[in-house]
Amino acid sequence: MKHTISYSISPGEMCLTLVSMIIGVGILTLPRVLATELGLADGWISILLASGIIMSLVALYVKLQQQFPGETLLQYIAGGKVGKWFAPVLALLFLVYFLCLMGYEVRILTSLMRMYILDQTPSEVIAALMLFITTYAVSKGVQGIVHLSLMFLPIVVFVLLGLISFTSINSDMTNLLPVMPEGIFPILLTMKVTLFSFLGLEILFFLMGYMKKSDLKVFPLMAGIMLIMFLYLLVTIISYANFSVDTTTQITFPTVELAKQIEIPGGFFERLESLLITVWIMTIFNTISISQLIFIQLLEKHFVKKEAFTTYLPAISIFFIFIVAFIPHSITETFQFGEWIGWLGLALYLVSLGCGYLFFFSRRRKTGKVGKGVSYES
Amino acid sequence: MRIIRWLTCLFFLLLSLTGCWDRAELEEVGFVIGVAFDPSRDNPKVFDSTFHIAIPSAFGNGHVEGGTSGVQPFFNITSSGSTNFKMIRNINSRRSRSLNFEHLKVIVINEELARQDFITGVLDLYTRDHEMRRKTHVLISNGAAKDVYIDKLPLEDMPGISMDMIDENNQNVLGMIDTREIGMISEKVAANSSYLIPGVYKPQRGDLRLSGAAIINGSTNKMMGWLDEGDVRGYNWVIGEAMNGILEAEGKNGDPFVFEILSQETKLNYKRENGKNVFDVHIKAEGTFAESWMSGLQIDDPKALMEIENILEAEIKKQSQQIVTKMQEEYYCDIFSFQKLLKRKNYHYWKETKDRWEGENGLFKDAVITIHSDVLISHYMTQEKVS
């Protein structure tokens, strides 16, 4: 039992990192996806319900994590007899998941850049540059990534709120009525979309191992989920109020279109969507770099144990992400791909959580033995 | 080994130094301020687009009438074709600068085109392309659309900019409807509801003028007819957008007086009674007694004030009733978006009737619309008698 943790994540940092991870493509597309799925203006109810579910899932995991402070979930599972075989399988699935997620985010990023800002620059170049930068961030380890999230998130939230407050001038709130004319059932059907937009929770399994036992609290993470919920609600409601639900279904990136609506008197500042996209790239950067860090750590812990090979992992990861990013042929296919990733992520979260609890109960019944701590450096 | 690794890194970094692919010099871009669409003479499938392009270097000449160099700060160029984008690119083969639509302010559509299935087609490019803003104003012209861009008006550098600003003045004029932006129109198209688009008229000699409005049918998106200023006044009362206009009315002996609106709101109520759709329109207006040609008026007498208020209420009611009747009996179009209220108040009924609302046998035609008006004169400035 040797713990050589030089850096531990504080609860507040964990919360903001989680927020940085979760805010991604969803914040730009959620209003459209909800409007398309539902056809009514009740998307906001769906967001409220989904965030409730997500909060309970997070709370469940934090309770579990308190049983094995200083370890990741997979290490804990690997400590058992059956788990020894099961953990690598989970790890492999997580590798696939994070790989696809990064590919998807990079792809949407390049599409957006080509649509709105740089229509001559080759997509491959944008994607490659983005991945080079995230890889450099990953080379600084957990501490670097967490602090980058802390640095970018306030800017992102501030700019988003600023832009939305500018657009609220010409909004017609009656577009949000009637409330629940079809009852609650159709809203429940759209839950999958809203749950997907909260994905990124899986990072808790891997990053909460870096927290002290006394720091494993539920509340800060709840606050983070609340912040995301608030942003999602705001973006969705303002989109509907600005464009009406019917029109929102036709706009690929409603949030960007909202920023385009802004007209600051004087006519000098007229391209605020570029500001929004720039800021959004920051959060995508965070999402990709956190995912990449966990991707590489998973490889190191479960598959590539040799020191000689680990140096090449970042380069290899870039190569694969790049390949995955350009698998879908069109933006429609990309969104389809995103939905599959959503299903995979949700399933993985639930399965891992279930496994964790199963091991916990079975172990407690047998001996109350604690899992073998695997020492690791950050 | 280490050196090889470094060199590989450097080589990849070189790739990012190929320069900026998307550089566009400001001096090499032609900013389009307005677009006009006219029918082409020979072929119904083809139409003309006129682009109204700014010459920034010549801006400011116009501020001195009979200016210094006399160079107009804009030029117009017309191209014909059957799709918008092709025409935009056609201009590239005839003028040195490529067109940029970041600052597009006005789109003017010829009435003849608006009466065909044209509006949705134009909307498509102008809402789809990333350069276009959803805040661009749309107007329907009575006569050739390209003519509105010919004559420069005083004060502004370009007629397109003038028109955009005149359109913004609608709140002071009761006979003008609120600006119609392209984003708003696409909302109406998506919801299949009827709407109005402001009209613009350019006589052969004289200045352009924004007045009246074109009625666009929600289900076909074709123009059905014109509303004159009187109709538009009524429309503004019914939907509560009279804002800051003025109302002329006649007193006892036919002497005119003017009521200036300071604030106005309309409350709509909907009930379904005995198988009928009943709409209550409550028009409330507050304002000042601004100008009077009446002789022997004791304005400080509460009775006289009441009388004037009653005259105004009757006038508002008359104007509103006129347009409502016209819509119900002549065009069968719900331009007031009563249907939206229906959706809010009685969703299931709306869902089952949404396709039967407008049209000759529609439900809107038989809806019972009652109008109540309430005017409050909050002050009357002076108490002098003009006599």
Side-chain angles (χ1 to χ4, degrees):
Chain A
M1 289 288 292
K2 192 166 73 87
H3 283 290
T4 49
I5 301 176
S6 52
Y7 166 73
S8 64
I9 305 177
S10 76
E13 286 173 343
M14 190 66 234
C15 146
L16 292 181
T17 310
L18 184 68
V19 174
S20 297
M21 174 73 198
I22 292 179
I23 294 179
V25 174
I27 194 111
L28 298 189
T29 56
L30 186 64
R32 170 181 54 88
V33 178
L34 270 177
T36 317
E37 288 275 325
L38 195 57
L40 302 165
D42 294 331
W44 55 275
I45 298 173
S46 180
I47 295 173
L48 284 175
L49 293 174
S51 54
I53 292 176
I54 294 288
M55 279 183 198
S56 55
L57 285 177
V58 170
L60 275 174
Y61 180 68
V62 175
K63 286 274 172 282
L64 185 65
Q65 176 75 47
Q66 282 165 352
Q67 309 306 320
F68 48 89
E71 280 190 325
T72 66
L73 178 67
L74 289 189
Q75 285 171 320
Y76 173 68
I77 291 176
K81 268 203 188 84
V82 192
K84 207 183 302 177
W85 302 105
F86 201 68
V89 176
L90 269 183
L92 190 66
L93 285 172
F94 269 115
L95 281 178
V96 172
Y97 168 72
F98 279 117
L99 184 67
C100 292
L101 182 74
M102 286 185 276
Y104 170 70
E105 303 264 345
V106 169
R107 179 59 188 271
I108 295 285
L109 171 90
T110 53
S111 305
L112 200 85
M113 293 282 274
R114 291 213 62 162
M115 267 172 80
Y116 284 103
I117 299 183
L118 306 170
D119 54 75
Q120 302 292 317
T121 309
S123 312
E124 294 81 1
V125 173
I126 299 172
L129 282 176
M130 191 72 196
L131 291 174
F132 284 147
I133 301 166
T134 53
T135 312
Y136 179 60
V138 168
S139 72
K140 298 287 164 270
V142 177
Q143 191 172 358
I145 296 286
V146 168
H147 286 180
L148 272 173
S149 299
L150 298 196
M151 212 162 71
F152 286 164
L153 193 71
I155 303 173
V156 173
V157 173
F158 179 75
V159 169
L160 254 176
L161 290 180
L163 289 179
I164 286 170
S165 63
F166 269 121
T167 51
S168 55
I169 296 165
N170 54 359
S171 49
D172 173 13
M173 284 297 171
T174 56
N175 285 343
L176 293 165
L177 299 169
V179 177
M180 289 208 282
E182 304 263 359
I184 193 84
F185 187 65
I187 298 175
L188 291 178
L189 288 181
T190 61
M191 291 293 286
K192 90 170 189 212
V193 172
T194 31
L195 285 176
F196 288 174
S197 62
F198 279 96
L199 278 178
L201 289 174
E202 299 83 2
I203 65 163
L204 292 178
F205 299 160
F206 307 98
L207 291 185
M208 282 188 101
Y210 291 96
M211 293 172 78
K212 292 197 194 84
K213 189 177 166 110
S214 55
D215 284 343
L216 294 169
K217 296 195 197 83
V218 179
F219 176 73
L221 296 176
M222 295 287 138
I225 304 280
M226 291 276 258
L227 175 66
I228 299 167
M229 179 188 86
F230 174 69
L231 286 177
Y232 280 169
L233 276 179
L234 213 58
V235 167
T236 308
I237 286 173
I238 297 282
S239 297
Y240 292 170
N242 257 287
F243 304 131
S244 84
V245 181
D246 297 326
T247 319
T248 310
T249 57
Q250 300 165 3
I251 304 172
T252 317
F253 298 111
T255 313
V256 182
E257 213 60 43
L258 272 180
K260 260 171 83 172
Q261 288 241 352
I262 302 169
E263 280 185 341
I264 293 177
F268 188 70
F269 298 102
E270 272 202 337
R271 294 198 61 179
L272 285 174
E273 79 268 19
S274 48
L275 176 70
L276 175 80
I277 291 171
T278 310
V279 160
W280 177 79
I281 288 171
M282 289 180 173
T283 112
I284 282 287
F285 168 82
N286 280 335
T287 305
I288 297 172
S289 52
I290 295 168
S291 309
Q292 204 178 352
L293 177 84
I294 291 169
F295 182 84
I296 289 168
Q297 281 199 343
L298 271 172
L299 278 174
E300 281 176 1
K301 275 177 200 161
H302 294 275
F303 301 103
V304 187
K305 297 274 195 327
K306 271 195 180 151
E307 194 73 36
F309 293 123
T310 49
T311 36
Y312 294 106
L313 285 181
I316 293 166
S317 70
I318 287 193
F319 177 75
F320 281 109
I321 298 165
F322 197 81
I323 300 287
V324 169
F326 291 101
I327 287 175
H329 287 294
S330 64
I331 192 127
T332 330
E333 275 187 25
T334 314
F335 284 129
Q336 183 63 49
F337 182 51
E339 196 174 312
W340 294 343
I341 297 168
W343 283 118
L344 177 64
L346 205 58
L348 269 179
Y349 189 91
L350 294 173
V351 167
S352 317
L353 195 65
C355 284
Y357 268 101
L358 275 176
F359 280 103
F360 169 60
F361 286 132
S362 67
R363 252 180 248 188
R364 201 173 54 172
R365 226 184 27 231
K366 278 179 193 154
T367 52
K369 189 181 71 176
V370 190
K372 283 206 292 282
V374 183
S375 65
Y376 51 88
E377 282 91 42
S378 57
Chain B
M1 194 66 212
R2 177 158 289 212
I3 287 175
I4 290 175
R5 206 182 295 168
W6 266 106
L7 285 175
T8 345
C9 286
L10 285 176
F11 172 74
F12 274 110
L13 282 175
L14 272 179
L15 287 181
S16 62
L17 294 178
T18 45
C20 189
W21 274 279
D22 287 277
R23 193 183 63 243
E25 294 296 338
L26 200 59
E27 284 79 32
E28 290 167 15
V29 175
F31 287 109
V32 180
I33 303 294
V35 187
F37 298 105
D38 285 299
S40 215
R41 248 165 299 161
D42 32 14
N43 185 345
K45 274 253 176 244
V46 174
F47 57 96
D48 288 358
S49 289
T50 305
F51 300 98
H52 182 55
I53 298 161
I55 307 175
S57 58
F59 267 31
N61 290 344
H63 292 297
V64 188
E65 284 305 310
T68 44
S69 60
V71 179
Q72 273 197 323
F74 61 89
F75 69 94
N76 298 331
I77 179 166
T78 305
S79 168
S80 46
S82 51
T83 59
N84 283 308
F85 219 166
K86 177 128 191 315
M87 283 187 265
I88 291 170
R89 292 297 162 93
N90 275 349
I91 305 292
N92 277 335
S93 62
R94 298 162 54 196
R95 288 288 181 277
S96 52
R97 298 184 185 188
S98 58
L99 302 186
N100 175 297
F101 287 82
E102 299 278 351
H103 297 276
L104 182 68
K105 299 235 181 299
V106 204
I107 295 176
V108 183
I109 301 172
N110 189 315
E111 177 191 346
E112 288 173 50
L113 285 174
R115 287 182 190 274
Q116 301 156 21
D117 191 8
F118 183 80
I119 292 177
T120 40
V122 163
L123 273 176
D124 190 84
L125 175 74
Y126 285 83
T127 49
R128 188 188 296 273
D129 197 274
H130 71 98
E131 263 183 21
M132 317 293 183
R133 312 263 137 202
R134 301 177 76 84
K135 308 274 280 182
T136 306
H137 293 184
V138 181
L139 299 163
I140 304 268
S141 80
N142 185 345
K146 62 179 73 152
D147 290 357
V148 298
Y149 293 127
I150 293 173
D151 292 337
K152 193 182 101 54
L153 295 175
L155 299 174
E156 306 317 325
D157 283 311
M158 300 171 69
I161 297 176
S162 300
M163 214 158 34
D164 183 58
M165 287 167 82
I166 293 172
D167 206 6
E168 298 276 0
N169 287 343
N170 65 71
Q171 53 192 22
N172 300 328
V173 186
L174 193 53
M176 279 169 78
I177 63 167
D178 195 11
T179 55
R180 285 291 179 271
E181 288 147 3
I182 200 153
M184 194 169 161
I185 291 174
S186 70
E187 261 173 59
K188 297 281 188 189
V189 169
N192 277 339
S193 67
S194 299
Y195 52 96
L196 297 180
I197 298 181
V200 58
Y201 174 62
K202 173 78 171 71
Q204 277 296 324
R205 292 199 183 153
D207 293 340
L208 62 92
R209 177 156 187 242
L210 268 67
S211 78
I215 308 163
I216 315 290
N217 183 316
S219 47
T220 60
N221 285 305
K222 291 178 185 171
M223 175 175 162
M224 301 181 72
W226 285 103
L227 292 182
D228 61 19
E229 285 190 35
D231 295 325
V232 171
R233 280 187 208 120
Y235 169 82
N236 277 334
W237 289 120
V238 174
I239 64 161
E241 279 183 356
M243 292 198 259
N244 207 355
I246 59 164
L247 179 65
E248 271 186 358
E250 286 181 354
K252 278 187 295 246
N253 315 324
D255 297 330
F257 66 92
V258 175
F259 168 69
E260 184 193 1
I261 306 153
L262 290 181
S263 72
Q264 193 263 320
E265 64 167 344
T266 300
K267 281 209 169 76
L268 279 178
N269 271 320
Y270 166 75
K271 291 194 292 287
R272 183 140 175 78
E273 275 181 351
N274 322 327
K276 276 193 185 306
N277 297 310
V278 181
F279 290 94
D280 275 337
V281 184
H282 288 270
I283 302 169
K284 280 180 72 173
E286 188 179 329
T288 60
F289 185 72
E291 184 182 0
S292 161
W293 293 79
M294 292 190 281
S295 50
L297 174 74
Q298 285 284 355
I299 189 77
D300 50 354
D301 174 18
K303 250 204 196 126
L305 204 60
M306 279 282 284
E307 212 166 281
I308 285 173
E309 285 177 358
N310 288 338
I311 292 171
L312 289 168
E313 280 163 16
E315 181 66 24
I316 291 173
K317 219 165 157 164
K318 193 183 94 192
Q319 288 181 356
S320 313
Q321 195 60 58
Q322 181 193 341
I323 177 80
V324 168
T325 313
K326 195 171 193 170
M327 282 297 134
Q328 282 191 296
E329 291 171 9
E330 203 175 323
Y331 293 104
Y332 322 112
C333 268
D334 174 18
I335 53 171
F336 315 104
S337 298
F338 284 156
Q339 213 188 351
K340 204 173 167 182
L341 183 78
L342 195 73
K343 181 179 175 178
R344 258 172 33 209
K345 297 272 184 191
N346 195 338
Y347 181 81
H348 293 283
Y349 178 73
W350 167 84
K351 205 170 171 181
E352 124 203 6
T353 62
K354 68 178 177 191
D355 300 321
R356 295 187 284 125
W357 183 245
E358 293 183 334
E360 209 156 339
N361 310 316
L363 294 162
F364 171 68
K365 192 179 124 192
D366 303 322
V368 180
I369 300 172
T370 44
I371 295 166
H372 315 271
S373 60
D374 180 16
V375 172
L376 179 72
I377 293 181
S378 51
H379 64 81
Y380 35 82
M381 304 291 191
T382 57
Q383 299 195 10
E384 288 171 42
K385 300 182 197 60
V386 185
S387 53

